[in-house]
Amino acid sequence: QKEVEQNSGPLSVPEGAIASLNCTYSDRGSQSFFWYRQYSGKSPELIMSIYSNGDKEDGRFTAQLNKASQYVSLLIRDSQPSDSATYLCAVRINTGGFKTIFGAGTRLFVKA
Amino acid sequence: DTGVSQDPRHKITKRGQNVTFRCDPISEHNRLYWYRQTLGQGPEFLTYFQNEAQLEKSRLLSDRFSAERPKGSFSTLEIQRTEQGDSAMYLCASSLGDRGSGEKLFFGSGTQLSVL
């Protein structure tokens, strides 16, 4: 079982729709969860972090965390073509020391 | 804050040669990570440093890979006797470490390695 799992996509949504991206993780003790966005040919950049169960909103982005189900999601409201990118779920796990592990990413296409 | 800097941006080498990459983290960041990324995959953890101490190295990493961070500043990643399977983007990231609210990574632009 991979430590962080995501559907690779691609996920295609029309402009203005809600894009829903999902992630599951295996380390039940994980406490910190992140979403990074990576445009083609660029490096990942942090867009959201979440540490407590429930929802966290930042502009058009909402991160959702359910530790009991070991599930993290990212909702993008009013999707724009500029949101087209790969979204990487990342989890900080404890392996004696802490390190951040990434999922394979979900490619999102927003059609104008 | 000038961001995380990596050098070179691109490296083409022949199989069997040694290569070395450099990463300069954000100046006040005490943690430094190396990741490897291939097309269609997420960043794969290689190793990380807390100041000058190398705290963990991936079990998937062969002995041909070595990393250093002298004096807790810049870091180098060396690959000896390169193989075609080493072709990938090598990403460096730095952070302030755990401030009680998780750890946010800032990535450099990466070094694209092509082994012929």
Side-chain angles (χ1 to χ4, degrees), chain A residues 11-29:
Chain A
L11 174 65
S12 184
V13 300
E15 184 176 359
I18 296 175
S20 178
L21 306 163
N22 304 315
C23 170
T24 58
Y25 60 93
S26 61
D27 181 8
R28 189 168 285 277

Side-chain angles (χ1 to χ4, degrees), chain B residues 7-8 14 41 47 52 56 63 67 70-71 74 76-77 97 103 110:
Chain B
D7 184 70
K14 293 182 179 179
Q41 298 299 313
T47 188
E52 67 274 11
E56 188 170 343
D63 291 341
K71 302 179 182 178
F74 72 92
T76 58
L77 177 69
E103 181 177 25

Side-chain angles (χ1 to χ4, degrees), chain A residues 2-110:
Chain A
K2 290 186 179 180
E3 291 166 308
V4 182
E5 296 211 47
Q6 298 181 253
N7 289 326
S8 61
L11 174 65
S12 184
V13 300
E15 184 176 359
I18 296 175
S20 178
L21 306 163
N22 304 315
C23 170
T24 58
Y25 60 93
S26 61
D27 181 8
R28 189 168 285 277
S30 296
Q31 297 294 322
S32 303
F33 308 87
F34 307 88
W35 285 97
Y36 286 78
R37 178 177 60 200
Q38 187 173 27
Y39 290 114
S40 181
K42 301 295 186 182
S43 295
E45 57 177 338
L46 180 69
I47 54 171
M48 288 286 289
S49 59
I50 187 166
Y51 313 108
S52 304
N53 280 328
D55 295 359
K56 179 182 178 183
E57 186 174 320
D58 184 1
R60 295 186 296 111
F61 298 97
T62 298
Q64 300 175 316
L65 174 61
N66 183 327
K67 291 183 180 178
S69 300
Q70 296 173 243
Y71 177 88
V72 194
S73 67
L74 179 70
L75 300 178
I76 306 174
R77 290 182 300 281
D78 188 23
S79 295
Q80 301 297 310
S82 59
D83 294 327
S84 298
T86 295
Y87 289 80
L88 300 163
C89 175
V91 178
R92 194 153 177 262
I93 66 172
N94 185 353
T95 56
F98 288 94
K99 65 185 182 188
T100 300
I101 300 298
F102 288 81
T106 299
R107 287 189 300 155
L108 172 66
F109 292 104
V110 181

